Amino acid sequence: FTNTGNNRKTNTYTIERKLWGLFTDTEPSPQKVTLSGKTAYEWDLDLAPQEQSDVIIITNYRIIFYLLLLTGLGILAYALFRSPVTLTKSATVIATHEGGISELKIIIHAANRSKHQIAEVIILDKVPRIASIVKDYDIGTVRPVNVLHDDKKGALIKWKFESLDAGEERVITYKMRSSLTILGGLQLPVAVAKCKSGGHERTTRSNVSQIGFGGE
């Protein structure tokens, strides 16, 4: 800005602050004002005759580019390194005693969401130490290959599938009987699926299954 006259002049220069103003630097620093409900930058310029003053506004769009690049890389990394197995767990009350839960049916749903076959898929689930596994499995139920018991931690159940084809789904069910009547509700441990994909072991954890009863 240049004062080409013979008298001292004071002018106000105003520009609207755009959305990308977060990435804008100015020299000198402006005042922030509101015009028609919008935020604006404002400079008061007091210039003597023939005096010149510079207002520099720099918007760095590279930051936006870097943010988009990082987001894209994050999505790509997730797609490459995520487990191809999805796992959900649910439970239903099948028996009650004295107003509380005494027996549950656990349902674990595993699926191969990738476009390739997966070999050696292992499913692990825990049974709380206050409960035990009911071994009279329903017809057609996938039976565990191993059940490890621990007096402090409860039981660890293991299933193994030699392979899961692309898009294939498997459903595992078993019954759990509590040694104590469960009042109110129960939060079950998450189930875990392990498999090898891309030369690395991938792990998937199921959702947290919360069972409420008796008005909870």
Side-chain angles (χ1 to χ4, degrees), residues 146-171:
N146 198 7
V147 179
L148 299 176
H149 295 277
D150 187 294
D151 293 336
K152 295 182 178 180
K153 296 181 180 180
L156 178 66
I157 319 172
K158 178 181 178 179
W159 293 266
K160 183 177 180 181
F161 300 103
E162 295 300 326
S163 65
L164 281 181
D165 292 330
E168 185 178 1
E169 301 179 359
R170 292 293 185 96
V171 177

Side-chain angles (χ1 to χ4, degrees), residues 64-152:
I64 301 176
F65 169 75
Y66 294 148
L67 289 174
L68 293 174
L69 180 61
L70 287 174
T71 301
L73 291 175
I75 295 173
L76 179 61
Y78 173 74
L80 290 175
F81 296 108
R82 72 175 182 176
S83 173
V85 177
T86 62
L87 201 64
T88 57
K89 179 178 178 178
S90 61
T92 56
V93 179
I94 57 176
T96 60
H97 180 68
E98 297 180 352
I101 301 170
S102 62
E103 194 168 323
L104 293 170
K105 182 177 182 180
I106 311 299
I107 304 170
I108 300 173
H109 185 275
N112 177 6
R113 61 182 165 191
S114 74
K115 298 180 180 180
H116 308 283
Q117 185 186 73
I118 309 171
E120 295 186 9
V121 179
I122 295 174
I123 309 293
L124 301 170
D125 196 23
K126 290 182 178 180
V127 175
R129 60 186 183 89
I130 64 170
S132 59
I133 304 169
V134 179
K135 295 185 177 180
D136 55 334
Y137 299 102
D138 296 333
I139 297 175
T141 299
V142 180
R143 300 199 176 198
V145 296
N146 198 7
V147 179
L148 299 176
H149 295 277
D150 187 294
D151 293 336
K152 295 182 178 180

